[in-house]
């Protein structure tokens, strides 16, 4: 009698591409596969922690933070079978460019329009800090009868949930009284 044993190739799945916003420095990767295999992550210029497990954290190298895409490869080895490979793409979406305007000095009790600029496809929001009170969901916000100085944040968010902010500071002065 001759016993023949058939080994099967390791089965691994890294999943769909991961989309992150520009500036994100770490990505947690959860893959599935045959736990009897030996794993090794490669690719990119960053580092893996650990590099020999189905679940890992990839830390981007500073030169990758603004790259359009990074391709990472998971290799699984099981016995004498050929290696199994699966490639995961990390897509990096640029953050929107925003401008809240120049810091401004105003007379007390005047009105002022905050006018921010950003990509036309973005969703906008103005809010006061430190209160985080939202004052507008558009790129323009009107401040009426301003009584005190304050800082205001203009935020633009894209459909990929990538956002960026810029702050404008409003300083107030009193008109001199004539006697």
């Amino acid at each position: 009698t001759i016993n023949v044993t058939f080994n099967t190739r390791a089965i691994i799945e890294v999943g769909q591409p991961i989309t992150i916003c520009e500036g994100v420095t770490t990505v947690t990767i959860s893959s599935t596969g045959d736990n009897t295999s030996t794993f090794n992550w490669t690719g990119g210029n960053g580092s893996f922690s650990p590099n020999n497990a189905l679940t890992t954290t990839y830390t981007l190298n500073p030169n990758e933070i603004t790259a359009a895409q990074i391709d990472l490869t998971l290799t699984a080895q099981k016995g004498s079978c050929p290696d199994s490979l699966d490639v995961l793409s990390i897509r990096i979406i640029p953050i929107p460019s925003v401008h809240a305007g120049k810091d401004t000095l105003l007379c007390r009790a005047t009105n002022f329009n905050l006018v921010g600029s950003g990509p036309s496809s973005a969703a906008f929001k103005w809010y006061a800090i430190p209160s985080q009170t939202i004052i507008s969901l558009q790129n323009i916000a009107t401040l009426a009868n301003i009584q005190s100085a304050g800082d205001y944040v203009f935020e633009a968010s894209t459909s990929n949930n990538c956002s960026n902010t810029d702050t404008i500071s409003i300083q107030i002065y009193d008109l001199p009284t004539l006697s």
Side-chain angles (χ1 to χ4, degrees):
T1 302
I2 298 176
N3 290 328
V4 177
T5 303
F6 291 97
N7 293 322
T8 58
R9 174 183 261 185
I11 298 172
I12 53 173
E13 176 60 47
V14 296
Q16 296 296 313
I18 296 173
T19 300
I20 62 172
C21 298
E22 176 185 339
V24 171
T25 58
T26 60
V27 179
T28 300
I29 302 168
S30 297
S31 302
T32 59
D34 180 351
N35 282 325
T36 62
S37 302
T38 302
F39 303 106
N40 187 43
W41 283 98
T42 57
N45 294 320
S47 60
F48 298 92
S49 181
N51 73 334
N52 60 353
L54 287 170
T55 299
T56 188
T57 298
Y58 182 72
T59 301
L60 284 73
N61 181 292
N63 67 1
E64 293 177 310
I65 292 173
T66 58
Q69 181 171 309
I70 304 166
D71 292 323
L72 308 175
T73 302
L74 176 61
T75 304
Q77 183 180 33
K78 183 177 176 184
S80 60
C81 295
D83 291 351
S84 296
L85 304 170
D86 199 5
V87 176
L88 174 69
S89 293
I90 298 175
R91 296 180 183 147
I92 302 170
I93 306 298
I95 58 173
S97 177
V98 296
H99 182 64
K102 292 183 178 182
D103 292 347
T104 304
L105 179 62
L106 300 172
C107 294
R108 183 176 310 279
T110 59
N111 297 337
F112 184 74
N113 284 331
L114 298 168
V115 181
S117 62
S120 60
S121 60
F124 300 117
K125 175 172 53 175
W126 278 102
Y127 58 91
I129 52 176
S131 70
Q132 303 291 316
T133 302
I134 296 173
I135 56 176
S136 177
L137 294 175
Q138 299 176 358
N139 68 316
I140 297 174
T142 299
L143 302 175
N145 192 25
I146 302 170
Q147 295 297 317
S148 60
D151 293 326
Y152 300 90
V153 176
F154 178 64
E155 180 178 321
S157 299
T158 63
S159 59
N160 294 315
N161 292 322
C162 294
S163 64
N164 196 6
T165 62
D166 190 26
T167 303
I168 183 172
S169 181
I170 305 291
Q171 298 298 317
I172 302 298
Y173 67 90
D174 291 314
L175 287 174
T177 53
L178 300 174
S179 44

